[in-house]
């Protein structure tokens, strides 16, 4: 055996292990608008309205300026969700999450109210993009706290359709009006979605240190809300609108366009997939 051949054979495993060929493929994916929340359009999308009714709310033309729910999208099996705060259709901030249980529709997830209180995403946000010009971030119900998404969060007769685990999540039997998020009600049966008293419905409530129910006197307008879409319960106080909140879903898209992007009913993105393969060597050896 020649000396050069012996050296080459000794190095061959190292060459095969360290030499990698990288292949890339562009895959087009699509986000679909399932819901839009405008907390000052005169329609209250509370815990008991819209989320499980399996019906259209709003119109295509006003989908990004008023409350909106697309029944078709709501029924599609999806694996990813993006919550987008926007100003008249221009992205202000966005968080993208991956569902723990893939290929389930939003309708089926929001119908799963009993027992509810389910953390439905895992690993925190896959993407969090916030405009440098974004305002009112200190108590935003989505962008001021971390963690994963919780759906159908009920405690006593309080119900909240979407919450972040980084915020206060009241224990199941505690009646304290101290959990806040998207799609809220302080007088309902969170296990069935039935309303008890309409005056406690409210669409968007901000993260806050509320006065817990029963431990200190209630004060007028003490629960800080966005906009005017709420009932006449005397602790519910109107407040500034931080933006509309759009909910997009996808079966396979895991990234969303960032601040400044103009939203549409469908948002197309391109994902870059990378594949790694060992390179093929044609090495002649002499024994």
């Amino acid at each position: 055996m020649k000396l050069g051949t012996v050296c080459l054979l000794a190095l061959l495993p190292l060459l095969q292990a360290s030499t990698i060929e990288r292949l890339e493929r562009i895959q087009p994916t699509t986000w679909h608008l399932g819901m839009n929340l405008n907390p000052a359009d005169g329609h209250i999308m509370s815990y008991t309205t819209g989320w499980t009714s399996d019906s259209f709310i709003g119109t295509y033309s006003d989908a990004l300026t008023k409350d909106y729910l697309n029944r078709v999208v709501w029924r599609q099996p999806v694996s990813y969700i993006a919550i987008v705060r926007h100003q008249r259709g221009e992205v202000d901030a966005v968080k993208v999450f991956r569902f723990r249980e893939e290929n389930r529709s939003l309708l089926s997830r929001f119908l799963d109210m009993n027992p509810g209180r389910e953390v439905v995403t895992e690993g925190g946000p896959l993407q969090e993009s916030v405009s440098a010009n974004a305002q009112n971030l200190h108590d935003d119900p989505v962008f001021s706290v971390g963690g994963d998404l919780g759906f159908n969060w009920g405690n006593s007769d309080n119900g909240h359709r979407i919450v972040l685990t980084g915020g206060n999540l009241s224990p199941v039997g505690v009646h304290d009006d101290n959990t806040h998020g998207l799609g809220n009600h302080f007088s309902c049966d969170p296990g069935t979605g039935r309303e008890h008293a309409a005056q406690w419905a409210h669409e968007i409530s901000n993260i806050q240190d509320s006065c817990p129910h029963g431990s200190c006197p209630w004060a007028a307008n003490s629960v800080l809300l966005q906009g005017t879409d709420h009932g006449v319960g005397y602790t519910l106080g109107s407040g500034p609108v931080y933006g509309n909140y759009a909910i997009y879903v996808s079966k396979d898209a895991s990234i969303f366009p960032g601040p400044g992007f103009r939203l549409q009913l469908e948002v197309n993105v391109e994902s870059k997939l990378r594949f790694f393969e060992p390179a093929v060597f044609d090495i002649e050896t002499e024994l």
Side-chain angles (χ1 to χ4, degrees):
M1 181 183 295
K2 295 182 179 179
L3 179 60
T5 301
V6 172
C7 293
L8 181 60
L9 288 174
L11 291 172
L12 183 57
L14 296 176
L15 288 170
Q16 289 176 327
S18 61
T19 305
I20 300 294
E21 181 179 2
R22 186 178 72 184
L23 304 176
E24 293 185 346
R25 178 164 60 89
I26 302 299
Q27 176 177 314
T29 54
T30 303
W31 291 96
H32 302 274
L33 177 64
M35 174 181 281
N36 188 69
L37 298 176
N38 179 339
D41 67 345
H43 177 269
I44 306 174
M45 196 86 84
S46 70
Y47 186 91
T48 61
T49 301
W51 303 81
T52 61
S53 62
D54 195 20
S55 60
F56 272 91
I57 294 175
T59 64
Y60 293 130
S61 61
D62 293 329
L64 289 164
T65 58
K66 296 181 179 179
D67 285 355
Y68 170 81
L69 188 149
N70 187 312
R71 175 178 178 267
V72 176
V73 175
W74 219 241
R75 296 172 63 91
Q76 291 178 354
V78 296
S79 299
Y80 297 89
I81 181 171
I83 300 183
V84 186
R85 197 180 87 174
H86 63 95
Q87 310 296 333
R88 295 185 174 275
E90 182 175 313
V91 175
D92 197 29
V94 57
K95 280 186 177 181
V96 175
F97 300 86
R98 181 179 60 199
F99 283 115
R100 297 168 64 95
E101 186 176 355
E102 298 181 341
N103 297 318
R104 263 186 81 186
S105 70
L106 287 182
L107 178 62
S108 70
R109 297 177 198 272
F110 286 116
L111 280 170
D112 198 5
M113 294 176 279
N114 191 5
R117 297 174 60 90
E118 182 179 3
V119 178
V120 297
T121 64
E122 60 183 356
L126 301 176
Q127 173 189 343
E128 181 173 358
S129 304
V130 180
S131 170
N133 298 320
Q135 300 179 6
N136 299 310
L137 294 174
H138 64 288
D139 61 352
D140 185 285
V142 177
F143 299 98
S144 72
V145 289
D148 280 289
L149 297 181
F151 281 7
N152 304 323
W153 210 266
N155 56 291
S156 185
D157 65 349
N158 295 183
H160 314 274
R161 286 297 180 179
I162 299 180
V163 296
L164 272 291
T165 58
N168 178 71
L169 300 180
S170 301
V172 63
V174 176
H175 182 197
D176 62 358
D177 296 358
N178 204 23
T179 298
H180 307 284
L182 308 180
N184 309 280
H185 209 302
F186 284 164
S187 182
C188 70
D189 182 345
T192 64
R194 294 191 180 95
E195 182 176 70
H196 293 161
Q199 64 262 35
W200 298 107
H202 52 293
E203 193 160 308
I204 298 177
S205 60
N206 295 325
I207 302 301
Q208 58 205 274
D209 294 324
S210 298
C211 180
H213 185 105
S215 65
C216 56
W218 277 6
N221 304 321
S222 60
V223 180
L224 305 178
L225 310 178
Q226 288 190 38
T228 54
D229 288 349
H230 58 81
V232 297
Y234 69 95
T235 64
L236 304 180
S238 298
V241 175
Y242 296 175
N244 279 213
Y245 292 76
I247 297 175
Y248 283 84
V249 289
S250 179
K251 191 168 185 177
D252 48 14
S254 59
I255 58 172
F256 198 92
F261 181 81
R262 296 296 304 182
L263 297 172
Q264 299 176 352
L265 298 181
E266 291 186 351
V267 173
N268 297 313
V269 296
E270 291 185 343
S271 299
K272 184 178 289 187
L273 303 180
R274 294 181 178 178
F275 302 89
F276 297 90
E277 297 180 353
V280 177
F281 295 92
D282 183 11
I283 301 175
E284 180 180 351
T285 60
E286 180 180 351
L287 299 176

